[in-house]
Amino acid sequence: MIIKWPLLVLTALAASLLALCGGAEWISPAELAAPENQLIFHLRLMRLTTAFLVGAALAVSGAACQAVLRNDLAEPYLLGISGGAGIGAALAILSGLAAVSAWAMPIGAFIGAMASLLAVLLPVRHGDYGNRVLLSGVIIGSLCGSFLMLLVHTMGDRELAGIVWWMLGDLQGRDWPLLTTAGLLIPVAAAVLILLGRAVNALSLGGDLAYGFGISPARCGRLVLMLAALLGAAAVSLAGLIGFAGLIVPHITRRFTGADHRRLFTACFCTGGTFLILCDLLARTLMPEQEIPVGIVTAFVGGPFFLWLLYRKNGA
Amino acid sequence: MQPLLQFSHLAFGYRKNRPLFHDLNWVVPRGSISAIIGTNGSGKSTLLRLACGMLQPSGGRVLLDGTDIARLPDRVRARRIAVLPQLTCRDLPYRVRELVMLGRLPHRSLWQRFTDADSAAVTAALADLDLADRGEDFFPSLSCGEKQRVLLAAALAQEPALLLLDEPTSALDLCHKLRLMALLHRLRRQRDLTVLLVSHDLELMARTADSLLLLKDGRILAAGKPETVVTTPLLRQAFDSPVSVLPGPDGAPVLIPDAESIDTEQAGKNTYFSGLKK
């Protein structure tokens, strides 16, 4: 199947419009422009932007991880990013910095995510990516998980509520400067990955073939993984832990783009963003007067849909 | 003939205390077809990986046209040397033409568009490998032999000076085996292509290669023209097998295992054959 780019952009725009109007209360586009609704418009726009950026970052990151590690199950969180980010965020809350600045938790999560990624890549030599990185990621992830639970164990009730909400995905934008920083970082990292798309094509064939085509699996593979981790860490710092988006969106998108990673990364940026905008819309509207953490919605929506795709593929 | 590839005092080992190669010297002449033969684990594929710089020697150097290949930038090296790794029947989610086009990567920077010249090189490589009408097929839908030909087409699309092939005929039928060897000879004539390949097909190599390198446990047992390497005493020594080399109808060597080597009584004593006894 060939991807239709205008259709992709139109879908993203339609989803954005729906997300601006939808929520606890439906507000039509005309009403949204009214001065008394400016605050709601402002909050929903910030939330929409956060959802798009996080979804795009997770999807592109997942597609890059799956290519370099040559594993369909690979996604940024499997590289130990979530565990490290969790520790960073928890430490920001426990130290009291999160109460002082809105930047403390995102920065803490980012530092934690990048530190755990370095620990994951440390034992990997000679571009031997694949199972070794995944195993290393799982081990570092579970170590971080245990340490995070220890930190959570020592938290008070108020701090606990903050970290639990964050661990289930929280798309409430904090402030525009933070969003602007991520809004620069995420598209730039995604653009570099799109530029590296052909090299990623070669890497996805395996180290020996990539080497033969003049692409160093060690250097280029590490660069792609670092960019993927950067995107994952940026997403985690903005919105906490949102599973499934990095796993399923690339798989679904690949069915329309084929395996060429320049097309796949570009399309994933759009489909990932749209997917999370729609999931967030569901999270805000499914239960009246109560918001569900978006991570729960992505799992509920994404999981069965992915299974359905797999069954349909096997049956075909 | 001028050497294109030269192994000079090469030393290498996967473990520090167990060197595989020690002071190995050998040259591959420009425009020749050379084959490395030997037992499993004798170092054939390792030597090929050292030849393309995928592995770094612990001592000595590998020279391409007099330049240490360790010093060549990746893309420059890939424009001169193409590699076909051992076939593992992997499923790569690309169409045949997309995959072969990756062979043009060394000729363009990552942000440059492929040109008509790239397209022409890919078309020619596909035609050379009898895949002209398979360009739109999905790689996973191909047979193992066809996959091997597609990867070989990608290597040819690189338009290299040196082609390194690791068991390129392992999954090919008789027809495509012979066609491949004929193609390599044609490319050698037309492009002055140098080919270094690893193979277990001793008869085919004796018939089609210009020179052979016989390895045993990382040591060179013999090197030179096929008729000086494929001999009964050398093969018996290399393979520890009772095999005789006889001249075929056209004078090319034919390998005949001695009768006692497949004697059922003998086989019964050998644990390797014990499964067959039942």
Side-chain angles (χ1 to χ4, degrees):
Chain A
M1 204 179 298
I2 295 168
I3 194 156
K4 304 274 191 293
W5 296 105
L7 190 69
L8 213 62
V9 176
L10 277 177
T11 314
L13 288 174
S16 304
L17 191 64
L18 260 179
L20 278 176
C21 299
E25 188 188 341
W26 174 266
I27 304 172
S28 71
E31 288 171 325
L32 213 53
E36 65 270 22
N37 286 329
Q38 278 308 291
L39 184 63
I40 294 178
F41 175 74
H42 181 83
L43 285 174
R44 285 188 182 175
L45 184 65
M46 186 184 280
R47 190 167 181 135
L48 166 80
T49 315
T50 310
F52 186 85
L53 285 173
V54 169
L58 288 175
V60 176
S61 175
C65 289
Q66 284 160 19
V68 176
L69 303 179
R70 300 177 67 219
N71 191 313
D72 285 349
L73 292 174
E75 60 154 343
Y77 294 159
L78 224 64
L79 294 177
I81 288 171
S82 57
I87 291 177
L91 285 175
I93 293 176
L94 274 175
S95 63
L97 285 171
V100 179
S101 164
W103 286 68
M105 230 166 88
I107 290 177
F110 189 81
I111 293 171
M114 294 311 282
S116 64
L117 175 81
L118 284 179
V120 168
L121 290 182
L122 215 59
V124 181
R125 293 180 303 160
H126 306 306
D128 175 22
Y129 300 112
N131 287 342
R132 206 181 258 251
V133 174
L134 284 178
L135 277 174
S136 177
V138 168
I139 291 165
I140 298 285
S142 55
L143 276 174
C144 289
S146 305
F147 190 60
L148 179 64
M149 285 304 120
L150 184 69
L151 290 177
V152 167
H153 183 68
T154 62
M155 283 180 174
D157 285 349
R158 249 187 68 196
E159 293 156 332
L160 200 61
I163 193 79
V164 166
W165 191 253
W166 183 87
M167 282 168 77
L168 294 172
D170 174 13
L171 283 171
Q172 290 172 24
R174 284 179 177 78
D175 62 356
W176 280 109
L178 175 65
L179 208 52
T180 314
T181 312
L184 284 173
L185 184 71
I186 289 171
V188 167
V192 177
L193 275 175
I194 292 167
L195 273 178
L196 289 171
R198 269 199 222 143
V200 180
N201 286 348
L203 287 171
S204 72
L205 308 182
D208 49 357
L209 281 171
Y211 181 86
F213 294 139
I215 305 295
S216 160
R219 277 195 300 277
C220 198
R222 182 165 293 142
L223 175 65
V224 173
L225 280 181
M226 290 298 283
L227 285 165
L230 194 73
L231 284 170
V236 171
S237 350
L238 265 185
L241 306 181
I242 299 173
F244 268 97
L247 178 67
I248 59 166
V249 174
H251 280 288
I252 295 166
T253 310
R254 197 176 285 116
R255 297 169 74 92
F256 300 99
T257 60
D260 176 34
H261 287 87
R262 279 172 311 165
R263 278 202 305 264
L264 180 64
F265 289 156
T266 313
C268 271
F269 194 83
C270 218
T271 51
T274 309
F275 174 76
L276 208 58
I277 286 176
L278 291 175
C279 283
D280 184 46
L281 183 63
L282 280 177
R284 287 185 289 136
T285 51
L286 271 181
M287 291 173 76
E289 296 182 18
Q290 195 180 0
E291 192 178 313
I292 310 170
V294 71
I296 293 174
V297 178
T298 53
F300 273 138
V301 172
F305 184 57
F306 190 51
L307 277 179
W308 174 73
L309 273 181
L310 278 180
Y311 283 129
R312 212 182 64 157
K313 194 178 175 187
N314 285 342
Chain B
M1 276 194 280
Q2 280 282 319
L4 178 72
L5 186 72
Q6 187 177 354
F7 300 95
S8 170
H9 304 290
L10 195 76
F12 178 80
Y14 286 104
R15 290 181 194 170
K16 267 187 183 169
N17 302 329
R18 290 179 59 186
L20 177 62
F21 299 123
H22 174 69
D23 198 27
L24 185 141
N25 293 287
W26 189 48
V27 293
V28 177
R30 186 187 305 278
S32 71
I33 295 177
S34 307
I36 308 170
I37 56 174
T39 52
N40 296 132
S42 58
K44 304 184 296 295
S45 296
T46 303
L47 195 58
L48 214 64
R49 287 197 193 111
L50 284 160
C52 64
M54 209 181 283
L55 293 175
Q56 301 299 319
S58 53
R61 291 188 302 169
V62 180
L63 304 167
L64 181 75
D65 258 340
T67 310
D68 192 334
I69 58 160
R71 295 189 178 188
L72 291 176
D74 288 324
R75 273 182 54 211
V76 175
R77 186 245 314 139
R79 283 200 291 267
R80 309 285 322 275
I81 307 176
V83 194
L84 176 75
Q86 230 169 57
L87 183 73
T88 48
C89 247
R90 47 190 122 188
D91 274 345
L92 311 169
Y94 292 91
R95 288 182 193 278
V96 166
R97 197 177 171 84
E98 276 180 322
L99 241 176
V100 177
M101 193 53 109
L102 290 177
R104 301 302 296 169
L105 273 181
H107 295 269
R108 300 281 168 259
S109 63
L110 289 175
W111 38 86
Q112 265 183 319
R113 282 178 176 276
F114 286 127
T115 63
D116 289 344
D118 298 316
S119 207
V122 169
T123 304
L126 284 172
D128 280 339
L129 270 303
D130 201 14
L131 292 163
D133 54 348
R134 308 297 298 272
E136 291 307 308
D137 288 3
F138 270 109
F139 187 77
S141 70
L142 305 180
S143 73
C144 254
E146 288 168 330
K147 286 175 181 171
Q148 199 165 26
R149 276 153 54 206
V150 171
L151 294 179
L152 189 55
L156 286 185
Q158 281 176 250
E159 298 181 326
L162 173 64
L163 188 57
L164 303 176
L165 309 171
D166 199 346
E167 297 189 36
T169 57
S170 63
L172 299 188
D173 59 37
L174 181 64
C175 162
H176 283 104
K177 243 182 223 185
L178 298 176
R179 278 192 194 182
L180 171 65
M181 295 314 293
L183 170 69
L184 294 179
H185 277 271
R186 177 165 65 77
L187 292 175
R188 190 246 307 252
R189 275 197 313 276
Q190 289 175 347
R191 294 191 205 164
D192 202 22
L193 179 72
T194 307
V195 182
L196 174 60
L197 52 91
V198 163
S199 181
H200 284 294
D201 197 335
L202 303 185
E203 287 174 357
L204 187 68
M205 291 307 113
R207 189 175 286 267
T208 53
D210 301 315
S211 68
L212 298 179
L213 177 75
L214 178 59
L215 285 180
K216 185 175 187 184
D217 301 329
R219 285 183 302 111
I220 296 179
L221 213 55
K225 288 185 178 299
E227 56 268 28
T228 62
V229 177
V230 183
T231 62
T232 301
L234 277 172
L235 292 193
R236 286 185 176 215
Q237 192 187 344
F239 292 93
D240 291 325
S241 298
V243 65
S244 295
V245 179
L246 303 174
D250 60 350
V254 175
L255 271 62
I256 310 284
D258 292 354
E260 68 269 22
S261 69
I262 46 171
D263 183 277
T264 48
E265 223 167 286
Q266 287 282 329
K269 290 175 193 163
N270 190 326
T271 50
Y272 188 71
F273 287 107
S274 58
L276 292 176
K277 205 182 162 193
K278 295 173 188 173

